[in-house]
Amino acid sequence: MNDIRKACVRAVFDEFDDHGDVIRPAVGEEWDGVDAYRPLGHIVGYIDLDVTDLVDLIIDTINKELM
C-alpha cells in the first residue's frame, strides 16, 4: 500500500511539473507564483484544483500499480 501512496503522490507532482490541467495557478498562467516541494509533499501558492480530474489521476495511478 505504501508503494501505491508514493506512486499517487508522484503522479500529482508530475502533473504539476507538466503544467497539466489538474493543478494550475489560480491567476492566469503565473506558474512562478506556485512552488512544489516534493521532499515535503507540498504544493504552495494560490492554485486551482480540478477535483474530478485529480481523483481520476489518482484512480488511474492505483490501477496501473495494481496491474
Side-chain angles (χ1 to χ4, degrees), residues 2-50:
N2 198 26
D3 291 338
I4 292 173
R5 182 176 187 269
K6 287 179 185 179
C8 289
V9 170
R10 187 178 324 113
V12 170
F13 276 102
D14 288 348
E15 175 71 12
F16 174 79
D17 288 342
D18 294 339
H19 294 186
D21 292 329
V22 174
I23 303 166
R24 57 191 174 274
V27 181
E29 290 294 318
E30 296 183 23
W31 287 97
D32 293 336
V34 182
D35 295 311
Y37 301 104
R38 282 185 187 243
L40 300 175
H42 293 269
I43 296 175
V44 183
Y46 292 105
I47 60 172
D48 284 330
L49 289 177
D50 186 326

